[in-house]
Amino acid sequence: TNPTLAAENTQIANTQNGTEFKPWSVVKINHRNFELGLPVDVLMPVFNTPVEWLVPSIQSCLNQTYPVKLWIIDDGSSNEYYEQVLKLVVVRMGIDENCVVRNSTNLGIAQSLNKLLELSSSKYVFRMDSDDIMHPLRVELQLDYFSQLSDNVAVLGSNITTSSNYQTRHPEEVTKDLLLSSPGFWVV
């Protein structure tokens, strides 16, 4: 899919100057500084994620304008969930079953992602929660931006858009809100 052509009849999102981000609006890519065909892996930990969240999340990974390999790790979900939900979703959505790993017990996100990192051979790895949705151009835009940065940069993040009002929020605002609203965390 050519994102420039796909963008012709859509709104152009400009999150750099604070313009409101509309869902599924597209930013035109004027150049590609990254290698086409460079392998990209998306790592997704899953723990009893409701199917109504899981399916759109996986679909958003598979609908990227840049081809990705999706790795899923079930982090010790119930046997019933694994057999009746996750395995069925994987088969019906055409995900390579060799890219699905299962922890026998819940190890947590960090250890689960580390297990997937060991399996990945890609230069670029994207992390995805099983209840989030990726913008269709996320991988392509972040690869393009990342390729323009110094070789000393190893991690690239982005803003989020909440589904309730589709407003772009910077990571610092989100972190502050999470800290203030989470029991056990205090901001002094």
Side-chain angles (χ1 to χ4, degrees):
T1 304
N2 183 331
T4 303
L5 294 176
E8 286 180 358
N9 296 320
T10 60
Q11 278 184 319
I12 304 302
N14 184 349
T15 57
Q16 296 300 317
N17 66 10
T19 303
E20 185 177 324
F21 179 83
K22 301 292 183 192
W24 309 126
S25 53
V26 178
V27 177
K28 286 188 180 180
I29 300 172
N30 295 323
H31 51 78
R32 291 178 197 239
N33 292 320
F34 58 92
E35 250 181 90
L36 283 175
L38 197 62
V40 172
D41 286 349
V42 175
L43 312 182
M44 179 185 290
V46 173
F47 179 73
N48 291 325
T49 306
V51 70
E52 62 270 17
W53 298 349
L54 180 64
V55 169
S57 183
I58 290 173
Q59 193 64 54
S60 75
C61 295
L62 301 177
N63 286 344
Q64 290 298 296
T65 58
Y66 190 91
V68 300
K69 181 176 187 177
L70 178 61
W71 289 88
I72 297 174
I73 187 160
D74 177 78
D75 191 19
S77 297
S78 68
N79 287 334
E80 180 181 18
Y81 175 85
Y82 182 75
E83 294 295 329
Q84 296 178 12
V85 176
L86 188 57
K87 283 176 83 174
L88 183 64
V89 166
V90 165
V91 168
R92 288 198 175 168
M93 296 188 82
I95 299 166
D96 182 353
E97 293 180 30
N98 294 318
C99 293
V100 179
V101 179
R102 185 171 191 210
N103 293 337
S104 57
T105 60
N106 183 275
L107 302 178
I109 290 175
Q111 285 186 14
S112 294
L113 287 171
N114 283 335
K115 283 178 89 171
L116 289 181
L117 278 172
E118 289 176 15
L119 297 172
S120 173
S121 59
S122 295
K123 181 177 179 179
Y124 296 104
V125 174
F126 288 73
R127 181 194 162 337
M128 179 69 176
D129 287 328
S130 62
D131 61 351
D132 289 345
I133 295 176
M134 257 196 231
H135 187 284
L137 285 170
R138 174 191 173 196
V139 170
E140 191 160 1
L141 288 172
Q142 287 186 331
L143 280 175
D144 186 61
Y145 185 74
F146 195 79
S147 68
Q148 298 172 47
L149 302 175
S150 163
D151 287 339
N152 297 327
V153 177
V155 177
L156 177 65
S158 62
N159 295 334
I160 67 163
T161 302
T162 59
S163 59
S164 60
N165 62 6
Y166 302 108
Q167 300 231 348
T168 300
R169 302 192 59 216
H170 294 282
E172 296 82 18
E173 295 173 40
V174 175
T175 302
K176 180 181 174 188
D177 286 350
L178 287 173
L179 288 174
L180 292 174
S181 65
S182 299
F185 287 99
W186 296 92
V187 178
V188 183

